[in-house]
Amino acid sequence: SQQGEEDPQALSIQEGENATMNCSYKTSINNLQWYRQNSGRGLVHLILIRSNEREKHSGRLRVTLDTSKKSSSLLITASRAADTASYFCATGLDSNYQLIWGAGTKLIIKP
Amino acid sequence: EAGVAQSPRYKIIEKRQSVAFWCNPISGHATLYWYQQILGQGPKLLIQFQNNGVVDDSQLPKDRFSAERLKGVDSTLKIQPAKLEDSAVYLCASSLGPETGELFFGEGSRLTVL
């Protein structure tokens, strides 16, 4: 079953702009992770935020987590053409660490 | 550090034929996952191993899919007989353990069933 739902399904922006993607989930989690997948490639881990954290940064990435609203957002600042990819959120369940995946947001950065 | 290795990268077969995919995880990673990813969708867990034992295979279609992880290192996923709807990318991932969070993925094996 897929409990993570990314929003929007697709996003197209100009290079240099910021991109924001959202993820909502349904049950109690231990952690939430974001992954990137370039076309035809495997997934690459970007960032993990634990349920007791509210915000985390990694380079141009900023992730927030609101457990009261059961939602997270991924912000990519100063986007580059190389950021064109699909982005997936995955929630680690509190009970058994099982990872539940969303359907992803397809991000296109126009040069 | 070597990443997760998968082979073959691409495979085309006729329906009702069989196919096998191989995965070698990162050295020392106890947990190994096989995912199925249909175009435009997120990964769907097929089976999760902890060392050489199965932790979760609830979404594995056991009438046609089988997987093993002998000696707790590399793993093989087999489909027999294949159906048209099995066309997908089969992703292998590994982690130090389920509680550590981060998964490391291979490049995937793209299967086309004609």
Side-chain angles (χ1 to χ4, degrees), chain B:
Chain B
E1 178 183 85
V4 176
Q6 287 190 248
S7 67
R9 282 296 314 274
Y10 305 94
K11 189 76 177 178
I12 301 173
I13 61 174
E14 301 277 337
K15 60 183 178 183
R16 290 187 290 274
Q17 287 186 325
S18 63
V19 63
F21 302 111
W22 174 81
C23 171
N24 191 23
I26 292 173
S27 177
H29 280 195
T31 310
L32 185 147
Y33 311 78
W34 282 103
Y35 285 92
Q36 180 192 60
Q37 187 179 27
I38 293 172
L39 187 65
Q41 299 182 17
K44 170 189 165 185
L45 180 67
L46 293 176
I47 190 166
Q48 177 182 340
F49 292 96
Q50 182 69 18
N51 296 308
N52 60 350
V54 175
V55 173
D56 184 354
D57 63 355
S58 57
Q59 298 192 88
L60 186 73
K62 298 180 184 64
D63 57 334
R64 299 183 300 105
F65 286 65
S66 65
E68 60 183 12
R69 191 185 184 196
L70 300 176
K71 300 181 182 178
V73 182
D74 57 350
S75 176
T76 302
L77 175 71
K78 295 179 182 177
I79 307 174
Q80 182 180 12
K83 292 184 175 181
L84 296 177
E85 60 259 36
D86 297 333
S87 292
V89 176
Y90 292 86
L91 295 163
C92 179
S94 70
S95 69
L96 285 169
E99 71 285 357
T100 58
E102 181 179 355
L103 269 60
F104 295 82
F105 282 83
E107 294 288 1
S109 294
R110 180 179 296 275
L111 173 66
T112 301
V113 182
L114 303 175

Side-chain angles (χ1 to χ4, degrees), chain A residues 52-84:
Chain A
N52 60 353
E53 298 175 306
R54 291 297 166 258
E55 188 170 311
K56 209 160 181 180
H57 296 253
S58 177
R60 292 184 296 113
L61 306 180
R62 189 191 109 184
V63 169
T64 60
L65 178 64
D66 187 335
T67 53
S68 66
K69 295 181 179 178
K70 291 187 168 60
S71 68
S72 172
S73 67
L74 169 67
L75 169 67
I76 304 174
T77 60
S79 63
R80 304 168 182 170
D83 295 328
T84 293

